[in-house]
Amino acid sequence: MPRHRNSISGLLLSALVSATLLPGCDTGGKDTDGGVGGKQSAPQAPVFRIAGKFEASRLNEASGIQAGANGVLFLHNDDGTLLFLADASGRDLGAQKVADAKSRDWEDITRVPGPEGPLLVIGDIGDNRQVRKHVSLYFVAEPAPGEPAAELRVRHRLRFTYPDGPRDVESMAYDPDSGRILLLSKRDQPPRLYALPLDLALWQHGLEAEFLGEVPGFRPPTRADILRNPRRGFWVSQPTGMDISPDGRMAAVITYRSLYLFRREASESWADAFGRPPEETVGPPGSHDEAVTFSLDGRSVFVT
């Protein structure tokens, strides 16, 4: 994808921390407006603010971002095999080479529980022409903050395919409720949702992802979108990044135009939740947003 400025935007969701963030949770007999009877008010739209700019000069196209322990953000370009560390203001905390990994088109990163601690999963899943025989996930141990720069060893590599042929995918997230890694296609209309079970992905070397369903809720491009950006206006609704909140109840999907928030009820699957219309927030300004992550406390969403 084209290069763009190294900036990071924070979306403060503090207004959604209580019952609104967790639909159906116990509000102590009061609604979010201070009333009585457990009634919940409608969610408030997130407000964009600039959190900072990345200092790392080699981070020139952040295709993936994932929040880790102690406020560390892990990022990668779509090419090369470096894992960048930054804080929420973009301060450079170093970079580590992922040894034994290849980068054909790294597009997203997520965080999963491992047998010896959290693992980062790097998705070499981009396929612009939809011709790759298989795509790959690389599992590495999450670097501890303050560790001296060193190579990271790949703990495991999974090669996988889709049941309906090659797909260009830039959006990947771990669902802690089902224990599956979810993948959302980019160029399909509407996008298609797939899943890989983590318990198998951690040790098998080859899998076929399961198709879960279509995700129809992304608003198509408007005439104004196309006039504003003739080159990218037709593609503003394509998903370019995804994350699921740590409690498994909210999904954030970023496109070139908007942030979409999907909410999952406790009794339903993500296939059902993604079938409902999401909440859309236009922005942040720009046409190159490709990565999104929840903070580990679930109160903020970072977009770059």
Side-chain angles (χ1 to χ4, degrees):
M1 290 313 208
R3 305 297 182 193
H4 61 286
R5 64 181 182 274
N6 305 328
S7 62
I8 180 170
S9 299
L11 299 172
L12 296 186
L13 300 183
S14 56
L16 305 179
V17 168
S18 60
T20 308
L21 184 60
L22 300 173
C25 72
D26 183 6
T27 60
K30 295 182 179 181
D31 67 14
T32 53
D33 291 326
V36 178
K39 180 182 177 182
Q40 297 178 4
S41 60
Q44 290 181 298
V47 176
F48 287 96
R49 70 172 178 86
I50 300 299
K53 292 188 177 182
F54 290 119
E55 295 176 351
S57 60
R58 290 181 293 178
L59 185 61
N60 49 33
E61 186 175 354
S63 291
I65 183 172
Q66 172 62 47
N70 300 310
V72 175
L73 300 175
F74 299 100
L75 307 101
H76 59 75
N77 291 320
D78 70 341
D79 57 1
T81 56
L82 289 177
L83 183 68
F84 296 88
L85 285 70
D87 66 13
S89 69
R91 183 167 62 96
D92 185 6
L93 301 180
Q96 296 179 321
K97 180 177 176 60
V98 182
D100 304 322
K102 298 180 180 180
S103 175
R104 185 164 175 179
D105 192 358
W106 286 11
E107 286 295 354
D108 210 348
I109 181 172
T110 191
R111 185 177 191 256
V112 303
E116 300 176 2
L119 296 172
L120 298 177
V121 186
I122 302 169
D124 187 2
I125 52 178
D127 188 6
N128 290 343
R129 294 183 176 85
Q130 300 184 168
V131 296
R132 297 179 68 176
K133 294 181 179 179
H134 63 259
V135 289
S136 295
L137 301 183
Y138 292 101
F139 295 77
V140 302
E142 179 178 324
E147 274 190 350
E151 288 189 339
L152 290 172
R153 310 301 300 185
V154 173
R155 296 285 185 90
H156 178 63
R157 178 185 182 182
L158 170 70
R159 296 176 175 88
F160 71 95
T161 59
Y162 300 98
D164 43 5
R167 287 288 182 271
D168 185 30
V169 173
E170 296 189 7
S171 305
M172 177 179 70
Y174 174 65
D175 173 28
D177 188 67
S178 67
R180 297 193 290 184
I181 297 173
L182 303 185
L183 302 118
L184 185 62
S185 69
K186 179 181 180 182
R187 299 180 190 275
D188 295 305
Q189 297 294 337
R192 297 168 70 81
L193 184 68
Y194 302 86
L196 293 164
L198 180 62
D199 58 349
L200 297 180
L202 281 172
W203 65 274
Q204 291 199 7
H205 295 285
L207 283 175
E208 181 179 271
E210 177 187 359
F211 172 63
L212 300 183
E214 296 181 336
V215 182
F218 301 105
R219 186 164 55 91
T222 64
R223 182 172 180 270
D225 291 325
I226 298 169
L227 291 175
R228 186 179 302 113
N229 193 328
R231 292 184 61 188
R232 280 184 173 261
F234 288 100
W235 320 118
V236 294
S237 299
Q238 295 181 322
T240 57
M242 176 171 65
D243 196 24
I244 292 176
S245 59
D247 59 17
R249 301 293 292 276
M250 184 182 294
V253 178
I254 194 72
T255 72
Y256 292 131
R257 176 185 56 203
S258 304
L259 172 75
Y260 293 88
L261 295 177
F262 296 83
R263 298 171 187 275
R264 184 184 67 83
E265 301 295 339
S267 60
E268 66 180 351
S269 68
W270 273 116
D272 293 331
F274 275 120
R276 293 197 305 273
E279 302 158 23
E280 179 187 11
T281 299
V282 177
S287 59
H288 298 84
D289 305 310
E290 293 202 15
V292 61
T293 187
F294 283 93
S295 59
L296 286 194
D297 63 7
R299 299 179 65 177
S300 300
V301 173
F302 292 97
V303 172
T304 180

